[in-house]
Every structure is written in structure tokens, then in C-alpha cells.
Amino acid sequence: MPLNLSPNIPDPDGFYDELLRAHDGLTADESAAYNARLVLTLCNHIGDREIIRAALEAAK
Amino acid sequence: MVAVRYQTAFKLYPYEKVPAQSGPVQRHPVVIIGGGPVGLALALDLGKKGSPALVLDDHDGAGQGSKAICFAKRTLDIANRLGASGPMVHKGVVWNVGRVFHGDGQLFTFDLLPEEGHRNPAFINLQQPYFERFLVDEIRAAQNAGAPIEIRGRNRVTGVTVKGDHARVDVDTPDGPYQLEADYLIACDGARSPTRDMLGLSFDGRVFEDNFLIADVKMKADFPTERWFWFEPPFEGAGQSALLHKQPDDIWRIDFQLGWDIDRASELDPDRIRARVDAMLSSQTGTVPDYTLEWTSIYTFQCRRMERFRHGPVFFAGDSAHQVSPFGARGANSGVQDADNLAWKLDLVLKGLADDALLDTYATEREFGADENILNSSRATDFMTPKTNLSKLFRNAVLSLANTHAFARPLVNSGRLSVPCSYDGFDGFGPDAMDGPKVTRPGTTCVDAPVDNGFLLDHLEGAFTILALGGTAPAPVKAHGITTKIVHVATPGPALTDRYLGAKDRAVYLIRPDQHVLARWDDYDAAAISDAIATAIGKG
Ligand SMILES: Cc1cc2nc3c(=O)[nH]c(=O)nc-3n(C[C@H](O)[C@H](O)[C@H](O)COP(=O)(O)OP(=O)(O)OC[C@H]3O[C@@H](n4cnc5c(N)ncnc54)[C@H](O)[C@@H]3O)c2cc1C
């Protein structure tokens, strides 16, 4: 399965809001650390190195 | 004059004057410079095969002090083939439980349960001087049985000149200098290799700007046989990371990563070291056990290798050829694999069964192995000492996730266990004419498995071997002056089946003298085996 780059998130506005709220009250450093943990958690869920590699590229 | 550069833990080969020091210059087939783990393993391997080896070392035994302590399974398997592993495993400490801490808190523990069906544990902790002593003990036994090995202690090599197809060597001794010649000169003279310097060869790589303080402490008290590793330890002045693990004789190895800008002299002040050690040892129980400081030193490290391991008649093996950071214990372990790789090739060439070009494959194979080791230990080092803010951010993200989530624990890198490389796709291997398990594809080292009342690797004794599983016992193949040995297992057990047969009910493997798989087939075909041997020795 290739990296899915078509819209895939139900309720996009709700998701976006939730993502930003997760950072509420965090300093810039804390936010950066949180993002790093989030990336690692999501990458583990994906697991497939090909897809992760494609995502690393697509996000540039 | 032969100056003493370090103290020895064991005097193993005291200086003795030999007639060659005053007679005409003698030519030797193989001269090995350096009696460390690599030079000794090579000499023992050659001698047991009946090929002569002369070892020159500028001391008279195994150096004292903090060097290797972790010896991995592959090294023990090689030592087993050489008849020297028994005392090592007996003396060594096997540990299974590790604890990883970050600051004040424990992140997780792990249990390295040994994989079933192997003679040797994943690794043992054993002080390097013991490793060297047990090799010399076996060399003495082999000499008594007629093996043509000679060790000359306090023979310092002071000059090396390549003379076309051989090398001229200047040697200094307590009775003055003499010269000898070598058809093949193997430099196993350590990371500062004088041979490399004398030939004007470079040794490039990456210097890690860090200092490690090592303290070997002796504790009589009960202290758990576990490996403790701290990222950002909470103890005063402990630095970026700290490590504690056990060696034989009630000795514990403690490492503190101190950083780059330090005052070495004051860091080596025993009171200052004791303050750190007290804080570490009492961190889990609140009380400081009784201990004595046995040995302390500060070292820095580098990851680098020579561009080429062969220069005409001169070969480099072990630390002289490549150097890695100690995390992952790849120094001595990979050096012993160099010896394992070179010994059988030299033996065949000396006996006229292979051309000199076979020795080029030593260099290509082991340069590849060195790159893999350097990659692994550089990665461990980068995890332990993040070099940028971003890498520190991700490192600490991994650590904090590892506390609660199992998924992050495999990302925690405090040094990976040394495992041998596989020569996938290298010249000299193949064919892979059987749809067999990946772990035993051509290029890999044979994994062990129970056979009868012993283990498979006990049967792979340093010769070209046909390993036949299931079916009937095949006849030996004689090709190019080489006669294969036969190991036939009519009814393989579950581990052997799993590792060598997969779904098949029979298979034929051709194994190299250093226990790497050369080729495999569904069925015995003497002509195909003969071709594979030709390929392996460069006559294909
Ligand atoms: C703190 C520390 C911890 C380590 N931990 C581990 C570990 O856990 N596991 C692991 O696998 N490795 C470890 N290593 C690495 C390991 O010690 C080396 O990789 C290993 O000693 C290399 O063996 P060698 O035979 O190539 O060289 P060496 O052991 O350095 O031996 C070279 C020999 O050559 C001799 N010599 C030098 N010059 C001359 C000369 N001119 N003439 C004659 N003889 C000469 C020397 O006296 C010496 O006997 C560690 C190293 C350090 C510093």
C-alpha cells in the first residue's frame, strides 16, 4: 500500500482543533518535545518503512 | 632496549634469546606483529591447521587495565573451534537482566533470555587479560601436540620494509636488534599500529569529542548481577551517561561519560572518583557498599578504519585496521572475526591450494565488516550523546515514551550487541539453490543448533564441510586438492529444522572453514559442490 496522500481524516476541522489543543499551555520547547513523541508514536503505528520513508519525503 | 609501555596482568611469553638473533636473516611464511586477542587467535588457528606462525610482541604477556570485557557469542564460537572457549565461559559472567534509567527514574528493565539451542551464551563478561591467557594456554597445548607456533616476547618491531613479494622486519630485543623476513606479515599491533605508521598509511575517521572515566571496583557485598545504564545520570558530576556491569573476581566495571572539556588530572583524583561511585552504587538502596578502586583511567575514542586492509605482503587485522567506540563491544569481537577470516585463506595459500589472490577477499570482506561495526557503534554513540538540539529532542522523546510504552524500548540504544556480518552478494559465495530459511542463506555464519548430544558448531571444525540434513549420508567431495568433511544428520531436531530446513525435509549445505555458509541445495550434487569450492577459493 502506498502512502495515502488523499484526504483521509474524518471531520478535518475537528481534528485540526484537537491537534492544536493538545499543545495548549505548552512552551515552545515542550511543544517541540510533544511533537517528537507524537511523530514516534505515529511512525510506530505505521511500521512500514517504505510508507514512513515516503511520508518523510512528502512532508518536506 | 625494549621499553615497557604498560604493566602486564599475566606474564605469558617471557623473553628468551633465540639463535636467529645472531645468525643469518631467516625467512618465515607468516609473521604476526602483536600478541593481543587478534594476533593470538590468528596464530592458534594457523598452527592448528599445521601452518607456521611466528608472533612478535614487545611485552611478555597480557596488558593490565581497562580494555575489553564483553565477548560475544561469535567470538566464543570461534574460540570453541580453536579449543579455547571452555575456560572463558567457565570464568566469564553471564548476565540477563538490564535496567535503563533516565535521571532519577528507572525507565524499564529487560531480560535477555538466551536463545535456546546454542552452545554459547549471547556474550560473557570477562577481562581481556583472561581472554588472552586462555588463548595462550591453548597455544601451549597445541605446541605440545606439534603445532608450528612460536611466540617471541619482548621482541619489538621497529622497522617494516616491503620488498616486493615479502617484508623485511627490524626487531629490537633486550639483547639488541636483529632482522627477519616474512612472506606474509600480519600487523595485529593495535590501534596505534606502529606498522601502519612505518608504512606511512593513514587511518581516517571520526573522533568523538568525549572523555570516558572508567573505574573497575571490587565489591565483596551482594550486588545484583545486572547491567545498569543511565542516560543523564542524577549523580553530581556524572556526565551524560553512566554504566555499571559485572566482571569475574567480584569486579564491577563503571563508566562515566564526562564530556570534552575536562581536566584529566583532577578527574582522576581518587576522592573525586569515589564520590561519583558512591552516588551511583547507593542510588538504588541508599547505602554505599564496601568497595576498593582496582583500576581507573580516562579514555577518548574514535571510529575509523584503514582504507585497505591489505598492502602487498602486509595485512592489517584487529584494532590496527579499524577502531570503534566501545559501545556494543565490537573491538576485540570484530578483530577475532578478522583472524577467523584470514587464517584459513593463508593456510590454503601456504599449502599451495589457492592463489595469493584469495587473500584479497580477506580485505574486501573484513573492510565491509568494519563498516558495519563502525555504523553500529556510531549510531549508539549518537543516541547516547546527541550532537544537536534536535537529536537530543528525539532522544529524550524516545526515553520518555519508553517509560510507559513498550514500542519505544527497541529504539533505546545504549550499545547493540556485537553480531557478525553476512557476506551477502560477495564473490565466492553461492549458489543459493534451495528455498531455505533466511538466517542460513549463503554469506551468513552458521547458527548453532543441538545435534545429537552436542551442538552443530562442534562438528564444523575448520575445514570445508558438507552438512547434509535428512536423506542419506553423502560421499566426501575431493576438488582442487581439498577434501570436504561430511556432517550428516539423518533426523534433524526442531531447532536444526527451523534454522536450516524450513519447510524442506532435506538439504545440502557447503560450509567454509570459518563456518560461513557458502552454498546450499535441495540435493547432493558432487559436481555442483566441486564448482562451489572452486568459486570459494578463487578458482571458479
Ligand atoms: C575501555 C575499553 C573497553 C573495551 N571494551 C571492549 C569490549 O567490551 N568488547 C570488545 O570486543 N572490545 C572492547 N574494547 C576493544 C578491545 O580492547 C580491542 O579491540 C582489542 O584489544 C584489539 O585487539 P588487537 O589484538 O587488535 O590489539 P591489542 O589488544 O591492542 O594488541 C596489540 C599488541 O601488539 C603489541 N605491539 C604493539 N606495537 C608493537 C611492536 N612495535 N612490536 C611488537 N608488538 C607490538 C602490543 O603490545 C599488544 O600486545 C575495549 C577497549 C577499551 C579501551
Side-chain angles (χ1 to χ4, degrees):
Chain A
M1 196 182 67
L3 177 68
N4 186 355
L5 291 171
S6 324
N8 191 37
I9 302 178
D11 178 18
D13 293 347
F15 153 73
Y16 191 74
D17 194 35
E18 206 174 335
L19 180 63
L20 292 199
R21 269 161 188 277
H23 288 261
D24 274 355
L26 301 185
T27 64
D29 283 351
E30 288 165 349
S31 266
Y34 177 83
N35 276 337
R37 293 196 298 274
L38 185 63
V39 166
L40 291 166
T41 308
L42 293 173
C43 285
N44 179 67
H45 179 82
I46 294 165
D48 185 326
R49 292 280 305 280
E50 288 297 325
I51 296 199
I52 294 171
R53 200 169 295 127
L56 289 170
E57 201 46 46
K60 273 186 182 162
Chain B
M1 258 305 291
V2 180
V4 176
R5 296 181 292 121
Y6 52 78
Q7 288 182 310
T8 49
F10 305 117
K11 206 181 173 95
L12 301 172
Y13 30 86
Y15 172 71
E16 278 173 54
K17 192 169 184 189
V18 292
Q21 284 171 235
S22 39
V25 172
Q26 287 189 358
R27 175 79 74 93
H28 298 264
V30 175
V31 173
I32 297 167
I33 308 175
V38 180
L40 292 171
L42 179 60
L44 179 56
D45 209 350
L46 283 168
K48 285 207 161 183
K49 288 173 163 44
S51 277
L54 169 64
V55 180
L56 307 173
D57 193 280
D58 65 346
H59 288 69
D60 55 17
Q64 177 89 52
S66 4
K67 292 174 113 187
I69 64 167
C70 290
F71 291 90
K73 189 201 313 262
R74 182 64 201 143
T75 305
L76 299 174
D77 287 342
I78 294 167
N80 183 49
R81 182 173 66 70
L82 298 175
S85 67
M88 294 172 183
V89 177
H90 182 73
K91 180 81 191 173
V93 171
V94 179
W95 59 265
N96 297 109
V97 175
R99 293 180 191 278
V100 179
F101 304 90
H102 186 196
D104 274 324
Q106 176 175 312
L107 291 181
F108 60 94
T109 65
F110 56 86
D111 196 346
L112 288 174
L113 282 179
E115 204 186 339
E116 289 294 308
H118 294 246
R119 166 177 295 288
N120 285 314
F123 58 93
I124 57 170
N125 279 9
L126 178 74
Q127 292 91 329
Q128 183 167 332
Y130 280 116
F131 185 84
E132 295 178 26
R133 190 177 98 187
F134 296 143
L135 285 176
V136 173
D137 287 347
E138 188 56 28
I139 286 176
R140 298 304 177 207
Q143 285 172 324
N144 289 335
I149 309 170
E150 185 184 349
I151 309 179
R152 294 185 189 164
R154 304 206 60 202
N155 273 236
R156 164 169 297 160
V157 173
T158 56
V160 171
T161 321
V162 173
K163 302 254 182 200
D165 67 346
H166 69 279
R168 170 68 70 105
V169 182
D170 296 296
V171 185
D172 204 2
T173 74
D175 286 311
Y178 71 105
Q179 285 193 322
L180 49 79
E181 289 177 347
D183 290 331
Y184 293 106
L185 182 67
I186 323 298
C188 306
D189 50 356
R192 296 204 179 90
S193 175
T195 308
R196 207 178 49 222
D197 289 343
M198 288 184 277
L199 294 180
L201 299 168
S202 61
F203 196 35
D204 296 324
R206 183 169 165 202
V207 180
F208 288 88
E209 297 199 333
D210 222 322
N211 289 282
F212 287 78
L213 170 68
I214 292 194
D216 280 340
V217 309
K218 188 165 188 130
M219 275 194 279
K220 282 288 188 200
D222 256 355
F223 204 82
T225 303
E226 298 177 348
R227 178 192 199 253
W228 292 1
F229 188 93
W230 279 264
F231 292 99
E232 304 183 322
F235 338 118
E236 170 75 19
Q240 284 251 28
S241 71
L243 172 64
L244 167 82
H245 52 162
K246 193 178 186 215
Q247 308 173 59
D249 303 336
D250 303 313
I251 306 279
W252 298 79
R253 163 70 55 89
I254 301 179
D255 281 80
F256 294 103
Q257 188 184 358
L258 298 185
W260 191 232
D261 293 315
I262 61 159
D263 174 357
R264 290 171 81 96
S266 74
E267 295 299 351
L268 281 170
D269 171 11
D271 287 340
R272 203 172 152 80
I273 294 176
R274 289 196 76 97
R276 286 196 174 101
V277 173
D278 288 357
M280 173 189 272
L281 295 181
S282 62
S283 68
Q284 303 308 304
T285 58
T287 52
V288 181
D290 261 349
Y291 68 87
T292 49
L293 288 179
E294 292 288 304
W295 177 273
T296 57
S297 60
I298 288 183
Y299 71 96
T300 57
F301 63 82
Q302 325 205 323
C303 285
R304 53 186 179 174
R305 75 160 168 91
M306 293 180 72
E307 197 183 329
R308 286 180 293 126
F309 291 1
R310 174 175 192 179
H311 292 265
V314 184
F315 292 74
F316 292 83
D319 274 14
S320 71
H322 46 77
Q323 226 190 332
V324 293
S325 78
F327 306 106
R330 284 160 193 272
N333 285 309
S334 65
V336 170
Q337 292 166 39
D338 293 347
D340 185 43
N341 188 296
L342 184 55
W344 70 269
K345 294 174 182 172
L346 270 174
D347 174 62
L348 286 187
V349 172
L350 292 179
K351 289 177 178 156
L353 295 172
D355 297 334
D356 174 272
L358 176 65
L359 301 174
D360 292 339
T361 68
Y362 159 76
T364 45
E365 290 175 3
R366 295 314 300 161
E367 287 158 9
F368 169 77
D371 284 343
E372 191 173 288
N373 287 317
I374 288 171
L375 178 69
N376 274 295
S377 65
S378 300
R379 284 175 171 174
T381 309
D382 287 339
F383 189 88
M384 289 164 55
T385 324
K387 302 291 181 298
T388 63
N389 287 336
L390 183 96
S391 66
K392 184 154 186 170
L393 182 81
F394 271 104
R395 201 283 302 271
N396 285 348
V398 167
L399 293 180
S400 70
L401 288 166
N403 190 13
T404 36
H405 301 299
F407 88 79
R409 290 173 199 163
L411 298 174
V412 174
N413 190 346
S414 62
R416 302 288 183 215
L417 196 60
S418 162
V419 288
C421 66
S422 171
Y423 303 121
D424 294 296
F426 275 67
D427 286 349
F429 293 88
D432 186 359
M434 171 209 173
D435 192 13
K438 193 166 175 246
V439 285
T440 44
R441 68 194 182 278
T444 58
T445 45
C446 287
V447 286
D448 210 356
V451 169
D452 302 330
N453 295 322
F455 290 89
L456 175 65
L457 295 190
D458 298 345
H459 299 275
L460 305 176
E461 293 174 302
F464 281 91
T465 302
I466 297 173
L467 169 65
L469 303 173
T472 52
V477 171
K478 197 167 189 300
H480 312 280
I482 291 168
T483 306
T484 63
K485 288 192 152 196
I486 299 288
V487 176
H488 177 232
V489 186
T491 44
L496 197 58
T497 300
D498 188 49
R499 292 164 196 170
Y500 287 83
L501 285 172
K504 302 292 175 82
D505 57 4
R506 59 199 149 79
V508 173
Y509 281 76
L510 180 64
I511 314 289
R512 231 166 58 159
D514 60 1
Q515 299 178 337
H516 278 261
V517 175
L518 274 171
R520 58 182 179 180
W521 302 266
D522 285 325
D523 279 304
Y524 175 78
D525 174 348
I529 291 173
S530 169
D531 286 349
I533 291 173
T535 305
I537 62 173
K539 293 192 169 178

